[in-house]
Amino acid sequence: MSPSYKSPARTAKSAALYPAACAVIPAGVNSTARARFSGWDPYPLFIDHGTGAHLFDVDGNRYIDYLLGLGPMLLGHRPPRVTAAVVKVIQERGTVFALPTADEAVLARRIIGAIPSIEQLRLCNTGTEAVIYALRLARTFTGRRKIIRFEGMYHGFSDGVYWSKHPRLEDAGPDARPVPVAQGPGVPAAIADELIILPWNDVGALREAIAREGDQIAAVLTEAVMCNTGCILPESGYLEAMRELTQARGILLIYDEVITGFRLGLAGAQGRYGIRPDLTVFAKGLGGGFPIAALGGRRDILSLASDGTVSIAGTYTANTIAVAAALAALDELQAPGAYEALEKRCETLYAGLERIFHDARLGAHVVGVGPVMQVWFAERPIRNYRDATRYASHERFRLWWEGMLDRGILFHPHAFENLFVSFAHSDDDVEATLAAAGRVARDLAAGA
Ligand SMILES: Cc1ncc(COP(=O)(O)O)c(C=O)c1O
């Protein structure tokens, strides 16, 4: 049975809710990625509830969910242990005190114990906040002002970094030396002067920028896997070279592990690739679906917050709900064999998809690491944002997305987002996904 936009009777309630929401909420949604103009065309599905790896929309359609709230639902929807911990803390303790609770240090110790580069940490609410503070610490610590960030990455919506996420190539300068492009209006133009935008996966461009302006550069801010232009893996030696080049010039290396943290293993991407950044930002993988972020790293840098030299603040930071949720989530993540089982399921899914695309001669390939992946409809490897813009077919991706949604498989309609697999996805979910993918691939190959 099809919940397709092509058969709107199956999503009639979403269709009716959408104009009503648009009347009172700009674009009818509360975040850009959910908007019609971000691909949920002609209207976003309105969700009734989620359970485990499944979502149910207001029309009663059931989906196997690879959107996972764009990342936070790593344990699936309503993971029982997290839900129970949150309910308990609300009923027995309260939520916000503007004073510490003992559990905050318990949580900090557990994160520090799991990730070698983290010597101290502060909790925040969102990735955006944690990135702001990481940059503030880096500028104060080094006494420098410029930040290197990479075209195609997203580090939150603050003015300081909301640049060159997905710029129009006409505006973005030469391939080897991009110019900063504000991701939208309203961002002060003067910030461009604080940023150096580079192509990712290009050691030469990084080396050259550091040679040219190293004494002004406070930090390199990067994901270890590019997760906001689909999924792009680091080329062999790139992350190691970045670590060496930054260290040699006293430039701090900041890992944005908002997506990869606690997802590519308990120690995140840095654990997987064996890199020790100076500062790291975590968020989506940490809270079992509740808003919490963390900013951690070297003690000598974090100590700038010890005496208030750098203020790290927030009314809701370390609220009891977030802390209880994260502690319960860590219990799940640290269960013996948990990541191994997840990785095995992902391998089955990715290998199955590869085989399907190959057999259908679709020229598509799967790029994934741990439970993060994307399908590129491209004949050649994608190594950075410009490749993704030039060589990947967004039209084909759209047809793939529509076909899968028709068959009850949900993920974001834009190829620059990701598919996420949760700890709650079962072998049956993977099997059903591959069965659907086989049919969609055959349709695409036949030009249906
Ligand atoms: C890599 C990365 N960094 C930072 C952010 C911002 O996090 P938040 O939405 O929690 O502010 C995101 C959000 O998608 C992200 O993917």
Side-chain angles (χ1 to χ4, degrees), residues 31 70 72 125-131 153-157 161 165 221-223 225 227-228 256-260 281-284 291-293 417-418 420:
S31 188
L70 286 175
N125 301 296
T126 66
T128 297
E129 278 172 53
V131 168
M153 290 202 178
Y154 175 62
H155 302 289
F157 46 79
V161 290
K165 180 192 175 204
L221 171 64
T222 190
E223 292 190 278
V225 175
C227 296
N228 279 287
D256 180 341
E257 295 229 41
V258 165
I259 289 182
T260 52
V281 169
F282 304 97
K284 297 182 180 190
I292 184 168
E417 298 288 351
N418 291 120
F420 295 105

Side-chain angles (χ1 to χ4, degrees), residues 239-299:
L239 298 177
E240 290 80 358
M242 187 186 278
R243 178 64 284 189
E244 279 168 27
L245 288 167
T246 47
Q247 204 147 24
R249 288 298 292 270
I251 296 167
L252 299 187
L253 179 60
I254 305 175
Y255 266 16
D256 180 341
E257 295 229 41
V258 165
I259 289 182
T260 52
F262 301 96
R263 196 181 312 269
L264 304 195
L266 199 60
Q270 57 191 272
R272 197 158 185 131
Y273 292 107
I275 306 290
R276 194 178 171 109
D278 300 300
L279 292 173
T280 306
V281 169
F282 304 97
K284 297 182 180 190
L286 179 58
F290 288 86
I292 184 168
L295 157 62
R298 278 168 46 187
R299 184 182 293 274

